[in-house]
Amino acid sequence: MSYVDDVLAMVVAKNPAQPEFHQAVKEVLESLRVVIEENEEEYRKNALLERLVTPERVIMFRVPWVDDKGQVQVNNGFRVQFNSAIGPYKGGLRFHPSVNLGIIKFLGFEQTFKNSLTSLPIGGGKGGSDFDPKGKSDREVMAFCQSFMTELCKHIGADTDVPAGDIGVGGREIGFLFGQYKRIRNLYEGVLTGKGLTYGGSLARTEATGYGLLYLTQELLKCNGKDIKGQTIAVSGAGNVAIYAIQKAQQLGAKPVTCSDSTGWIYDPEGIDTALLKEIKEVKRARLTEYAAQRPSAQYHEGKGVWTVKCDVALPCATQNELGLEDAKSLKENGCFAVVEGANMPTTLEATEYLQKNGILFCPGKASNAGGVATSALEMSQNSERLSWTFEEVDNRLKTIMVNIFHNLDDASKKYGMEGNYVAGANIAGFLKVAEAMKAQGIV
Ligand code: NDP
Ligand code: 2IT
């Protein structure tokens, strides 16, 4: 068997019951075949791929906290420090009932390549808990965050590992986590990103993932002879990434017509009302039924279905494996010509293959959603120099980073004879930098 096949088999055997992790590794290693084959013996001798797919450190801990009724609750806490070859571990924390070790490992693995693509000095990490912030009071969320950080603070630091937000972790949670870190460690440092603007946060970090997604989409379309202006866009999700993707799409003259949450989805042929969506999701933390109730042009549908509408561009911005083969077929039938991932691994392997084979432009999340973590790295820079930059400065840097990422993928795909295969381009470009750094640092 080839080296890639050996390592794929090893990952499945050694990490049972972690299908998302297997999926992420398979996608990456399949694209790396052409690179590995160029130098297979050396990579094999140095166990480069085994080291790449094995986290440097996995931390798992108990998180006990007391709910509003006085009942003690216990959740699982995780931090996977995946790869520090090019910088301190960096990546978000996810609070969602579906969180388990396999999910955090897939996210940490993806993050390693994504962070490499940003061109900034950040390694890969991810963490989280099966805690569900939905329906909890602010006090309960604080109690959970304080307990979570009481353990996590032993393992992180501004030059060691810098967590941030992800699903279920936004400004409120980062604030509680930062407060507890500072209190226990007695250190006021940039240990988390996505902080509030009064205590070390960066302007434009809140908007960065969604805005970055659109900057990359704009460049992708431009380089394929199309203009983002005037395009009808289907977006899934109604959280941080989706909201600011919708806002930037509108600023660029496109028309986003959908959004969704875990209970249903909205079709609004007049275009999503961003201010209303923000009020409902960011302030009231309410369901999308509320949006439909306040917006006459909107239709609310229970369950899934966002990929059945007529659109030119689809931006999945909710969660992993939310766009399957049937969704991909329906997008194709409805005239969609580009799918650009805002979430992490939202498209299944079968759907990705179908889209690529059917001439639909496809950009993987590790490239197109990298604007969030890139801006987190800019927040780290500002914290280190104890200065803060203007919104325009951060936003301009973000734009440049996203345009460069696209060309980096495009160039890598061409160099290895797979023009237009941005999955291969992203995996190869992300890998080469990490592999070179690992090689230079010896067997660690
Ligand atoms: P949020 O928690 O702000 O929003 C998540 C949205 O997706 C919500 O509308 C949520 O609905 C929906 N959703 C989550 N899980 C599911 C599910 N299992 N089924 C259906 N809908 C679901 O998270 P973000 O917007 O921050 O994250 C969205 C995606 O983007 C994730 O894949 C994340 O990893 C990725 N990402 C985030 C970055 C960031 O900076 N925040 C950066 C790069 C990637 P509901 O509220 O009903 O649960
Ligand atoms: O998946 C991601 O890139 C994030 N959730 C953001 C990570 C970060 O450190 O800003």
Side-chain angles (χ1 to χ4, degrees):
M1 280 212 292
S2 75
Y3 180 36
V4 163
D5 290 320
D6 285 343
V7 175
L8 276 173
M10 181 275 280
V11 166
V12 173
K14 274 201 184 182
N15 302 272
Q18 297 183 355
E20 294 85 2
F21 181 53
H22 302 170
Q23 181 183 341
V25 171
K26 187 167 171 17
E27 186 218 90
V28 170
L29 294 196
E30 290 291 356
S31 339
L32 294 182
R33 275 184 200 280
V34 32
V35 182
I36 300 297
E37 278 161 13
E38 281 183 341
N39 226 339
E40 177 152 338
E41 282 322 301
E42 195 197 332
Y43 283 127
R44 195 191 276 272
K45 182 154 182 271
N46 290 310
L48 197 279
L49 293 183
E50 288 87 336
R51 286 188 285 143
L52 195 70
V53 300
T54 307
E56 290 176 17
R57 191 174 296 105
V58 172
I59 301 146
M60 292 199 276
F61 49 100
R62 178 172 74 200
V63 190
W65 56 281
V66 183
D67 73 15
D68 284 347
K69 295 184 186 123
Q71 174 66 47
V72 175
Q73 302 284 345
V74 181
N75 287 100
N76 298 323
F78 303 91
R79 185 72 184 167
V80 173
Q81 299 181 329
F82 220 107
N83 190 302
S84 63
I86 64 171
Y89 309 106
K90 180 84 197 85
L93 296 172
R94 175 176 293 190
F95 293 169
H96 192 272
S98 63
V99 163
N100 57 42
L101 182 59
I103 298 266
I104 299 298
K105 277 166 67 180
F106 117 64
L107 290 163
F109 181 73
E110 287 284 289
Q111 198 81 42
T112 302
F113 299 88
K114 180 193 306 192
N115 293 3
S116 168
L117 289 172
T118 65
S119 76
L120 300 168
I122 39 179
K126 200 83 186 192
S129 174
D130 57 357
F131 172 74
D132 185 359
K134 244 181 256 158
K136 303 288 191 299
S137 68
D138 284 353
R139 195 211 60 82
E140 288 176 319
V141 171
M142 182 171 72
F144 173 81
C145 288
Q146 290 183 340
S147 180
F148 184 85
M149 184 52 87
T150 300
E151 177 60 33
L152 186 69
C153 76
K154 300 167 191 166
H155 313 284
I156 62 175
D159 294 313
T160 309
D161 182 357
V162 182
D166 193 80
I167 291 176
V169 178
R172 174 182 61 170
E173 290 75 19
I174 294 292
F176 294 147
L177 291 164
F178 184 76
Q180 184 75 347
Y181 179 86
K182 180 168 62 72
R183 179 189 187 194
I184 300 181
R185 298 289 301 272
N186 197 21
L187 276 176
Y188 204 112
E189 59 169 2
V191 67
L192 291 160
T193 58
K195 299 184 293 298
L197 298 177
T198 51
Y199 62 95
S202 172
L203 285 159
R205 173 61 187 91
T206 305
E207 295 84 353
T209 311
Y211 278 21
L213 174 65
L214 266 295
Y215 295 144
L216 186 138
T217 304
Q218 184 178 31
E219 190 67 12
L220 165 77
L221 265 54
K222 191 175 113 193
C223 293
N224 284 279
K226 302 210 186 257
D227 192 346
I228 182 88
K229 199 168 168 196
Q231 307 294 349
T232 298
I233 305 199
V235 176
S236 65
N240 174 266
V241 180
I243 288 172
Y244 293 96
I246 288 170
Q247 186 173 77
K248 183 51 74 177
Q250 285 167 337
Q251 288 172 9
L252 297 177
K255 186 155 80 156
V257 292
T258 63
C259 60
S260 66
D261 64 17
S262 53
T263 50
W265 59 285
I266 292 286
Y267 178 55
D268 191 342
E270 288 188 7
I272 298 291
D273 179 339
T274 316
L276 178 60
L277 183 64
K278 284 179 72 165
E279 170 72 16
I280 287 165
K281 286 293 173 185
E282 293 184 339
V283 182
K284 294 188 181 159
R285 299 180 188 272
R287 312 310 308 163
L288 283 175
T289 41
E290 188 104 353
Y291 179 94
Q294 292 187 48
R295 176 97 170 152
S297 57
Q299 303 159 17
Y300 175 79
H301 302 267
E302 201 71 21
K304 290 182 154 208
V306 84
W307 310 125
T308 59
V309 306
K310 195 163 169 42
C311 67
D312 304 306
V313 175
L315 305 176
C317 298
T319 193
Q320 63 274 358
N321 292 328
E322 53 160 313
L323 199 165
L325 184 58
E326 291 312 309
D327 302 315
K329 288 181 180 166
S330 147
L331 285 170
K332 168 82 184 157
E333 274 161 29
N334 281 309
C336 173
F337 66 80
V339 174
V340 191
E341 295 186 328
N344 286 308
M345 208 171 75
T347 314
T348 64
L349 289 175
E350 301 73 40
T352 302
E353 200 179 314
Y354 176 88
L355 294 169
Q356 289 179 320
K357 281 195 177 145
N358 283 276
I360 294 179
L361 300 169
F362 178 81
C363 187
K366 62 171 74 71
S368 39
N369 72 33
V373 74
T375 306
S376 279
L378 302 179
E379 182 171 329
M380 289 164 71
S381 299
Q382 294 169 75
N383 292 164
S384 293
E385 62 176 18
R386 298 189 194 283
L387 292 172
S388 44
W389 308 340
T390 62
F391 189 96
E392 288 65 33
E393 166 138 29
V394 180
D395 191 36
N396 282 334
R397 284 180 187 249
L398 169 63
K399 218 175 286 175
T400 306
I401 289 168
M402 298 313 295
V403 168
N404 287 344
I405 289 177
F406 173 72
H407 287 286
N408 199 0
L409 316 188
D410 195 34
D411 292 348
S413 72
K414 287 176 181 153
K415 184 171 170 202
Y416 286 90
M418 292 181 276
E419 183 166 356
N421 184 342
Y422 302 118
V423 173
N427 290 332
I428 293 170
F431 166 78
L432 287 173
K433 182 177 178 188
V434 175
E436 170 137 6
M438 286 174 71
K439 203 170 137 192
Q441 293 171 36
I443 306 306
V444 292

